[in-house]
Amino acid sequence: MIPTSLPGQPHIHYANGQLHVEACPLDALASAHGTPLFVYSKASMLDALAAYQRGFAGRNAQICYAMKANSTLGVLQLFAQAGCGFDIVSGGELARVLAAGGDPAKVIFSGVGKTRQEMREALQAGIGCFNVESEAELDVLNTVALSLQMRAPVSIRVNPNVDPKTHPYISTGLKGNKFGIAHERTLATYQRAASLPGLHVVGIDCHIGSQITEETPYLDAMDRMLDLVAAIEAAGIPIHHIDFGGGLGINYQGDTPPPADALWAKLLAKLDARGFGQRKLMIEPGRSLVGNAGICITEVLFMKPGEQKSFCIVDAAMNDLPRPALYQAFHQIVPLDLHKQAQPGAPVYDVVGPVCESGDWLGHDRPLAVQAGDRLAVLSAGAYCMSMSSNYNSRPRAAEILVDGEQAHLIRARDSMADQLRGERLL
Ligand SMILES: *Cc1c(COP(=O)(O)O)cnc(C)c1O
């Protein structure tokens, strides 16, 4: 029995037997806008943000939404209006922040491979901080800043070497990852940064991984970071802010990450106990702000029963929902019509898309009682779905709707064929 409200997704629920996002019935949205269709709950995004804001009440803290999780302008605008800054990883993301009305002074720029052009654009926009990931990047940033007669504000991303206990592709704070500066090299790297005239050291940064569901890796990383701050300051280099990155997980399949406010109560207690409670804090949450605020509606095209495996072929695919193909990720899949839910003992199907790849699957061995023409919702699709989507197989990228109560705002139109062909030329 599918409960009428879905775990971890209070604004996505069944009413009158039909799945709704807030007060909008999804079947009507799918009929009006077509499928596949992403639908997000504004209240759910703001609730997720509020958990962090409660956690930081009375503190000097800045929440920088890690926008690679979902970088659609309407989503950025919502977070900008709610006071967020942004964690960006490219010049394109900076342009999106500016187009959405975000404050460049609240932007931090992460990533191992910033180009000189991206550094220039970010300096000219007046971003708050560059999170520098290598000694070579320090030197280049120094040169670029001097050429503009500017000083670049920098943090160094350190690699605290803690195991976040998550999927290897989304674990980033262990030795052997491409990210950050090794723990042992940190002090020397800070001394180098402080000696360069085009740089101004403002903080320290880490980000240990994604979809983290335990507190221990965070508490361990915090201890290691504070040890480093003490050592760097003892060498005469003040650290104005401490950035703990993002990575807090969400409930995809019975996962039980700590709530953001409860996690931060423990982290702040540790900061206080170690005498760093007054320090400015920054965080870079992505998935935990948007992941469970979104679903993707898809229509069943064909049922294809087989001797070994049966398939439910739907009109969404790996180009829309890349996480299963990329990380064997699990998304819950439910019918829009509550009466079409599978009863115990129902036959199981692999839910697959039309793309010509065996990796194009959305769910394995799912009990289903739907037929062609019925609609399904792929849950927990607000993060790392649309922002990772592509036009593979010349499929149009899906439309996106942001729901606010009874109102449904189209925040991105489905690609037209002209969108797909723009920029291409015949010989
Ligand atoms: C991806 C990323 C984040 C956000 O991670 P989530 O798991 O989505 O919270 C934060 N900081 C950096 C540097 C990242 O690369």
Side-chain angles (χ1 to χ4, degrees), residues 66 68-69 87 89 110 157 207 209-211 245-248 284-288 384:
K68 72 181 191 287
D87 176 38
V89 292
S110 300
R157 175 165 173 185
H207 171 69
S210 200
Q211 187 51 21
L248 184 58
E284 308 164 354
R287 186 191 313 272
S288 54
Y384 301 109

Side-chain angles (χ1 to χ4, degrees), residues 52 64-69 87-89 110-111 131 133 157 170 172 179 205-207 209-212 218 243 245-249 283-289 383-384:
Y52 284 102
C64 292
Y65 167 49
M67 61 179 279
K68 72 181 191 287
D87 176 38
I88 66 168
V89 292
S110 300
N131 287 346
E133 303 226 15
R157 175 165 173 185
I170 50 177
T172 54
F179 300 101
D205 163 57
C206 74
H207 171 69
S210 200
Q211 187 51 21
I212 300 169
Y218 280 110
D243 176 344
L248 184 58
I283 52 164
E284 308 164 354
R287 186 191 313 272
S288 54
L289 292 181
Y384 301 109

Side-chain angles (χ1 to χ4, degrees), residues 191-202:
Q191 283 168 326
R192 170 135 191 83
S195 76
L196 294 172
L199 305 183
H200 173 44
V201 172
V202 293

Side-chain angles (χ1 to χ4, degrees), residues 218-265:
Y218 280 110
L219 289 161
D220 291 351
M222 161 90 64
D223 267 326
R224 288 174 160 252
M225 290 279 278
L226 296 183
D227 292 345
L228 289 171
V229 174
I232 296 161
E233 293 196 324
I237 304 169
I239 299 293
H240 303 289
H241 76 247
I242 305 176
D243 176 344
F244 280 103
L248 184 58
I250 61 168
N251 181 0
Y252 285 104
Q253 186 184 16
D255 309 287
T256 53
D261 47 353
L263 173 67
W264 274 97

Side-chain angles (χ1 to χ4, degrees), residues 225-416:
M225 290 279 278
L226 296 183
D227 292 345
L228 289 171
V229 174
I232 296 161
E233 293 196 324
I237 304 169
I239 299 293
H240 303 289
H241 76 247
I242 305 176
D243 176 344
F244 280 103
L248 184 58
I250 61 168
N251 181 0
Y252 285 104
Q253 186 184 16
D255 309 287
T256 53
D261 47 353
L263 173 67
W264 274 97
K266 294 208 175 159
L267 288 168
L268 289 167
K270 187 182 275 291
L271 274 169
D272 288 342
R274 294 196 51 178
F276 290 95
Q278 301 307 308
R279 203 60 62 104
K280 178 168 187 190
L281 297 171
M282 314 252 263
I283 52 164
E284 308 164 354
R287 186 191 313 272
S288 54
L289 292 181
V290 293
N292 268 340
I295 58 115
C296 181
I297 310 175
T298 183
E299 186 167 305
V300 178
L301 298 174
F302 306 107
M303 301 305 278
K304 186 174 177 184
E307 266 179 34
Q308 299 216 333
K309 271 249 177 243
S310 295
F311 295 96
C312 170
I313 303 169
V314 299
D315 67 358
M318 65 186 286
N319 72 299
D320 307 297
L321 295 157
R323 301 185 59 258
L326 260 180
Y327 329 105
Q328 282 103 48
F330 180 93
H331 287 276
Q332 206 183 328
I333 302 174
V334 301
L336 294 198
D337 183 345
L338 184 61
H339 306 107
K340 302 245 163 112
Q341 65 179 307
Q343 300 302 321
V348 298
Y349 295 84
D350 279 9
V351 180
V352 301
V355 165
C356 302
E357 299 270 351
S358 293
D360 180 28
W361 59 276
L362 304 181
H364 284 143
D365 298 323
R366 302 302 175 86
L368 290 176
V370 290
Q371 48 192 334
D374 288 340
R375 289 173 179 147
L376 296 167
V378 179
L379 305 185
S380 308
Y384 301 109
C385 292
M386 190 63 193
S387 59
M388 284 182 142
S389 69
S390 77
N391 290 117
Y392 188 39
N393 278 209
S394 292
R395 291 166 51 82
R397 283 201 285 165
E400 293 174 289
I401 303 274
L402 183 72
V403 165
D404 179 8
E406 290 179 353
Q407 271 191 307
H409 301 277
L410 180 68
I411 56 170
R412 184 192 170 106
R414 188 176 309 283
D415 283 351
S416 66

